[in-house]
């Protein structure tokens, strides 16, 4: 079973389209959990102009969902209706540095941006070295780690609206809060500019080594996981609340709370998206019962159950 194939109609309405349209394409291989159903249409634009053209021609009643590298994402087993847009490194992955400024396409990995900054002796972006996502997700979620956040270094971001128009957002215009941005969810970010501070290579490398050592010793980075599952409530650590509720190692089907770090869920091999989401909600219920604190998902869950 799949969704109706609407790609012939889309292609007919967009004769100048250069990107790739695929019908009923499995999304599981595109997520770190390796679970989930198909996209009704998966669109990979050639570049920013191609994305703008596509959106300007796309009927307004067709839903649009954007996915990055899938590191902080659960695609539900029923898949995603409408168009799923995935920006490729080929068209949106360039990174450059000049003076104390770093510019990156939103398909660039966070780690790659940290490396670009380091090669130019720019400090302040080392925290990106430990975030397993892309810059598009970092902008949307105000991604942060090891004491740094996107809001601390962003100068401006460029995005394309649902009607194909280009928008520029300065730092204030992003309306950043903890693990979120207030920008209209229909905006698709395409590039960003960051400012760091010039520093010695040894200082920068030491910070990046600290970030990497923390990840390798404290997080299950070699498992099928989605990164941090829940946001830290004010004044609390999510993993400590999960552990105190007795959820370390808890399983639902093929999904398990990591024994190594309680704020990570892992696919032990044969989990479904439903297993993983059910496990997360079970953990939330147990934490609420034990501590009275409501945990909020940091991982995005999208699609049809």
């Amino acid at each position: 079973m799949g969704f109706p194939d609407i790609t012939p109609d889309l292609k007919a309405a967009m004769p100048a389209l250069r990107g790739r349209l695929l019908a009923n394409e499995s999304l599981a291989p595109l997520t770190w959990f390796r679970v989930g159903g198909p996209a009704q249409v998966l669109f990979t634009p050639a570049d920013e102009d191609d994305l703008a053209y596509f959106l300007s021609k796309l009927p307004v009643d067709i839903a649009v969902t954007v996915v990055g590298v899938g590191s902080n994402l659960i695609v539900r087993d029923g898949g995603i209706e409408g168009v799923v847009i995935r920006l490729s490194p080929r068209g949106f992955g360039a990174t450059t540095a000049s003076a104390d400024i770093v510019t990156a396409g939103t398909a660039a990995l966070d780690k790659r941006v940290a490396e670009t900054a380091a090669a130019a002796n720019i400090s302040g972006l080392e925290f990106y070295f430990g975030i397993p996502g892309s810059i598009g997700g970092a902008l949307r979620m105000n991604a942060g780690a090891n004491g740094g956040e996107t809001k601390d270094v962003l100068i401006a971001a460029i995005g394309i609206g649902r009607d194909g128009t280009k928008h520029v957002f300065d730092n204030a215009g992003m309306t950043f809060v903890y693990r979120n941005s207030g920008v209209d969810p229909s905006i698709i970010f395409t590039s960003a500019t960051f400012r760091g501070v010039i520093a010695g290579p040894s200082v920068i490398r030491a910070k990046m080594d600290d970030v990497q050592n923390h990840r390798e010793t404290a997080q299950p980075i070699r498992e099928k996981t989605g990164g941090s599952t829940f946001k830290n409530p004010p004044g609390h650590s999510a993993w400590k609340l999960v552990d105190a509720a007795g959820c370390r190692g808890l399983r639902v089907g093929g999904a398990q709370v990591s024994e190594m770090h309680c704020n990570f869920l892992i696919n032990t091999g044969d989990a479904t998206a439903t297993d993983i989401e059910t496990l997360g909600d079970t953990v939330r219920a147990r934490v609420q019962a034990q501590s009275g604190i409501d945990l909020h998902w940091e991982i995005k869950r999208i699609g049809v159950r």
Side-chain angles (χ1 to χ4, degrees):
M1 290 292 291
F3 297 106
D5 183 0
I6 61 175
T7 55
D9 291 339
L10 295 181
K11 290 176 180 178
M14 308 169 183
L17 195 68
R18 293 174 286 119
R20 185 173 62 169
L21 290 171
L22 297 173
N24 284 298
E25 185 73 6
S26 175
L27 294 173
L30 304 183
T31 73
W32 282 37
F33 275 122
R34 296 294 189 266
V35 298
Q40 183 172 11
V41 177
L42 178 63
F43 174 53
T44 307
D47 52 31
E48 186 179 77
D49 289 340
D50 196 45
L51 172 63
Y53 172 74
F54 174 82
L55 291 170
S56 72
K57 300 294 185 181
L58 185 69
V60 294
D61 61 337
I62 296 179
V64 173
T65 303
V66 181
V67 300
V69 294
S71 60
N72 197 241
L73 181 69
I74 296 172
V75 174
R76 293 178 174 130
D77 299 310
I80 300 176
E81 188 174 10
V83 174
V84 173
I85 296 176
R86 187 171 191 258
L87 307 186
S88 70
R90 180 186 296 272
F92 299 86
T95 60
T96 60
S98 178
D100 60 352
I101 303 297
V102 177
T103 300
T106 48
L109 293 177
D110 298 334
K111 185 174 183 178
R112 173 62 179 157
V113 172
E115 291 169 337
T116 298
N121 296 332
I122 300 172
S123 182
L125 281 75
E126 294 91 347
F127 69 92
Y128 276 138
F129 198 66
I131 301 177
S134 61
I135 288 299
L139 294 173
R140 183 59 64 185
M141 295 185 66
N142 185 23
N146 300 89
E149 289 184 301
T150 299
K151 71 176 180 63
D152 301 331
V153 292
L154 183 79
I155 298 174
I158 294 175
I160 305 297
R162 181 61 175 80
D163 60 356
T165 57
K166 182 184 289 190
H167 301 265
V168 180
F169 303 89
D170 62 12
N171 190 301
M174 293 291 290
T175 56
F176 284 127
V177 294
Y178 177 63
R179 296 300 175 264
N180 205 358
S181 160
V183 173
D184 186 330
S186 69
I187 296 289
I188 301 175
F189 294 117
T190 56
S191 65
T193 306
F194 306 92
R195 174 175 281 117
V197 294
I198 301 299
S202 61
V203 173
I204 296 171
R205 178 50 57 183
K207 291 181 180 179
M208 291 170 69
D209 286 345
D210 285 344
V211 170
Q212 185 64 20
N213 290 338
H214 172 75
R215 289 194 69 224
E216 291 185 348
T217 57
Q219 300 176 3
I221 60 176
R222 290 174 177 81
E223 304 281 359
K224 297 175 184 175
T225 184
S228 295
T229 304
F230 306 110
K231 300 176 184 179
N232 289 323
H236 297 273
S237 294
W239 78 264
K240 292 182 179 179
L241 294 169
V242 174
D243 202 17
C247 296
R248 184 182 294 268
L250 183 67
R251 297 181 68 124
V252 171
Q256 182 180 21
V257 176
S258 171
E259 296 272 7
M260 186 179 197
H261 192 309
C262 291
N263 201 25
F264 283 67
L265 306 183
I266 58 176
N267 177 359
T268 63
D270 60 351
T272 64
T274 300
D275 288 343
I276 298 169
E277 190 169 9
T278 300
L279 176 60
D281 284 335
T282 301
V283 169
R284 293 180 66 239
R286 292 194 181 188
V287 168
Q288 212 289 328
Q290 197 272 337
S291 66
I293 295 173
D294 290 324
L295 288 180
H296 296 284
W297 285 91
E298 184 169 328
I299 289 176
K300 303 299 182 185
R301 292 106 49 234
I302 57 177
V304 181
R305 289 183 183 270

